[in-house]
Amino acid sequence: MGQARAEYVIEYVTDFDDPRLADYTSLRDVELRKSLEAERGLFLAEGEKVIRRAIASGHPIRSVLTTERWLKPLADVLGGATVYLVSDELMSRIAGFQVHRGALASMERLPLPSVSEVIGKATRVVVLEDIVDHTNVGAIFRCAAALGVDGIVLSPRCADPLYRRAVKVSMGAVFAIPYARMADWYAGLGEVREAGYRLLALTPDQGATPVDRVKLGERVALLLGSEGDGLSSRWLHEADEAVCIPMSPAAMEAGVDSLNVVAAAAIACHGLMRSSDWSS
Ligand SMILES: C[S@@+](CC[C@H](N)C(=O)[O-])C[C@H]1O[C@@H](n2cnc3c(N)ncnc32)[C@H](O)[C@@H]1O
């Protein structure tokens, strides 16, 4: 006989100040959320697809916040979770924005692997230096997961891939691709090189090697720089080769001298990371 499946438990919540909603407070206040999530070891997944992916990747559910209408599509994956059921009005008031497919789940964070574990198992990695925008981090994870990258390393100042906005933009790719955070910006790249990676620094500098003429190695790390300043001179200096995506001379003349970091990540991953096994 099969084992009986645990059934989720519904608790009706009608009061905005109900303490059971504590995991869901101040959803639009990035700074407050960052400290609250770190303190409680949680993150929020939004919408049915992303919640399913978070659960499938082994993150335990703390609770789910949803409305009558959006509970059903999720019902089969909730196990014994507690579901706080609220009205549409209360949902909008708690979130302060239109919640994607009316469901938020508070999930437990799992311990992050170390940099050496991530780069030890991978051969194609992306290394992000001080990318502070959650949308950019989420979108880079999505490109990377789609285009053959098997590990991501973040410099200490990069935005949290498990912040709600990053998780949402990545469409759950943050659960599909192993990542780690460097403890030390200064020595961090050295560890990647010592693991046998060829370090390619992506820069808009049009004097660098064009992306289609780059020599690859068995292990390749693409370094992407911050939205404002780009890669630091230390990382540029430490790289084995500086690589550019050629820009139209007319654009350069008009002052469009770089790409958004997500667009650069997509082009570079497509050109340098995909495997001939699946792209021919
Ligand atoms: C908005 S750009 C930063 C621009 C900055 N002023 C600079 O000079 O690097 C953010 C990142 O995207 C990547 N990037 C942008 N345009 C690129 C291009 N044409 N070729 C290669 N990488 C590019 C680089 O990694 C860069 O650090």
Side-chain angles (χ1 to χ4, degrees):
M1 233 168 66
Q3 249 186 328
R5 246 178 15 145
E7 261 293 305
Y8 56 85
V9 178
I10 294 182
E11 294 187 16
Y12 292 90
V13 179
T14 53
D15 182 2
F16 179 76
D17 294 316
D18 191 309
R20 287 173 293 179
L21 300 180
D23 281 2
Y24 303 94
T25 52
S26 308
L27 289 181
R28 297 186 66 181
D29 186 332
V30 179
E31 286 314 311
L32 213 106
R33 287 301 308 179
K34 282 204 285 201
S35 58
L36 181 148
E37 293 184 10
E39 189 183 300
R40 298 193 188 156
L42 64 85
F43 69 93
L44 292 185
E46 180 180 348
E48 182 199 338
K49 246 189 212 160
V50 170
I51 294 173
R52 280 180 184 278
R53 287 179 184 164
I55 295 169
S57 61
H59 293 86
I61 314 179
R62 288 164 65 92
S63 66
V64 174
L65 176 69
T66 189
T67 60
E68 200 85 54
R69 176 175 173 212
W70 294 109
L71 172 60
K72 215 166 162 202
L74 271 174
D76 61 303
V77 287
L78 296 182
T82 300
V83 176
Y84 298 130
L85 215 57
V86 295
S87 65
D88 291 337
E89 295 71 38
L90 186 52
M91 187 69 165
S92 308
R93 199 173 155 214
I94 295 164
F97 55 87
Q98 188 60 41
V99 176
H100 184 63
R101 294 181 72 82
L104 285 165
S106 172
M107 314 288 305
E108 270 173 38
R109 286 176 186 252
L110 301 173
L112 275 191
S114 64
V115 170
S116 68
E117 279 174 85
V118 170
I119 61 179
K121 288 184 188 147
T123 58
R124 295 282 184 264
V125 302
V126 162
V127 187
L128 304 182
E129 187 181 33
D130 296 0
I131 310 253
V132 294
D133 182 286
H134 291 106
T135 305
N136 284 343
V137 167
I140 292 172
F141 267 76
R142 191 168 181 185
C143 294
L147 295 171
V149 171
D150 48 11
I152 295 188
V153 178
L154 309 172
S155 72
R157 282 210 289 259
C158 279
D160 176 13
L162 290 188
Y163 189 76
R164 180 181 57 81
R165 181 92 195 124
V167 175
K168 183 178 177 183
V169 170
S170 82
M171 277 307 295
V174 291
F175 309 123
I177 186 158
Y179 70 92
R181 192 179 284 277
M182 290 173 179
D184 177 6
W185 166 81
Y186 195 80
L189 266 190
E191 184 177 357
V192 182
R193 177 186 297 99
E194 275 157 31
Y197 283 85
R198 184 166 165 72
L199 305 181
L200 302 178
L202 266 291
T203 168
D205 177 354
Q206 299 295 291
T209 310
V211 74
D212 56 352
R213 292 206 211 127
V214 172
K215 196 173 123 239
L216 296 174
E218 253 178 45
R219 286 184 142 176
V220 177
L222 293 188
L223 320 181
L224 288 156
S226 72
E227 294 89 346
D229 295 336
L231 286 168
S232 62
S233 51
R234 174 165 176 86
W235 280 32
L236 279 168
H237 185 72
E238 273 204 79
D240 295 298
E241 192 163 8
V243 177
C244 74
I245 297 159
M247 311 257 304
S248 121
M252 297 291 282
E253 222 162 90
V256 181
D257 58 359
S258 69
L259 292 158
N260 165 277
V261 65
V262 178
I267 295 170
C269 288
H270 183 262
L272 300 171
M273 300 308 222
R274 73 205 157 114
S275 151
S276 52
D277 299 348
W278 52 266
S279 63
S280 53

